[in-house]
Amino acid sequence: DIVLTQSPGTLSLSPGERATLSCRASQAVDSKYVAWYQQKRGQSPRLLIYGASNRPTGIPDRFSGSASGSVFTLTISRLEPEDFAMYYCQQFDRVLTFGGGTKVEIK
Amino acid sequence: QVQLQESGPGLVKPSETLSLTCTVSGGSVSSASHYWNWVRQPLGKGLEWIGYVYYLGASNYNSSLSSRVTISVDTSKNQFSLRLTSVTAADTALYFCARGPTIFGPIYGFDIWGQGTLVSVSA
């Protein structure tokens, strides 16, 4: 199975700062099969990005995704208070797997 | 809009079978464009995909669970269900149902999730 390794495990930042989250795949993954989710405490995950760089309707444009080889990146341009949460990447290319998650916490 | 709601026992004894149902409202489980998934999350840990079912009955499972998992669909009730046999304490988790794409996409992501239901395995 494809293993997705997310880094860092925890990101400590202040509101207004830029967050850069990484997801590295153990094998080549077609970027159209990569998604990102946000999960707040006590809530279900919410789809933020699909196809590595596409935002579903209603997702703010401060969230963006990109891909370079087997490394996928989620960027939050300016952190809002509601953005402090867990973030997971996911791939559908072969057997579906999730990354282990990155916690974005208030510094 | 489409909503998903999990239901089932919150407590299961070791070695018994965990059974959960996800009810689809505001849409149809008979959608040709979607797979219907189960995902679980041990408290304080990450997400684990369990498997999916298609409205025609085809299914696919995480290989780590496939010997114990069955996911089925009931189009007449607009529901799909999870059965996990021979449970142990390691199966204690928050269980989510989620709508996902077929291999044809176009949105390769789980766009609709249920609120989740906590299942504890304990004697």
Side-chain angles (χ1 to χ4, degrees), chain A residues 9-69:
Chain A
T10 302
L11 198 50
S12 298
L13 295 168
S14 301
E17 289 194 296
R18 181 184 188 90
T20 302
L21 288 67
S22 177
C23 174
R24 179 181 298 272
S26 61
Q27 303 172 41
V29 174
D30 189 328
S31 62
K32 77 175 182 180
Y33 296 124
V34 173
W36 288 91
Y37 299 86
Q38 176 193 67
Q39 186 180 30
K40 298 180 182 179
R41 185 178 296 276
Q43 296 185 16
S44 310
R46 177 175 71 145
L47 180 64
L48 285 181
I49 297 287
Y50 67 93
S53 60
N54 302 290
R55 284 187 308 276
T57 303
I59 300 300
D61 61 6
R62 64 180 181 273
F63 293 96
S64 63
S66 62
S68 177

Side-chain angles (χ1 to χ4, degrees), chain B residues 7-38:
Chain B
S7 59
L11 182 63
V12 182
K13 290 182 168 55
S15 80
E16 296 191 346
T17 296
L18 180 160
S19 295
L20 296 175
T21 295
C22 183
T23 300
V24 181
S25 59
S28 175
V29 77
S30 298
S31 165
S33 302
H34 297 101
Y35 289 152
W36 302 95
N37 295 265
W38 287 97

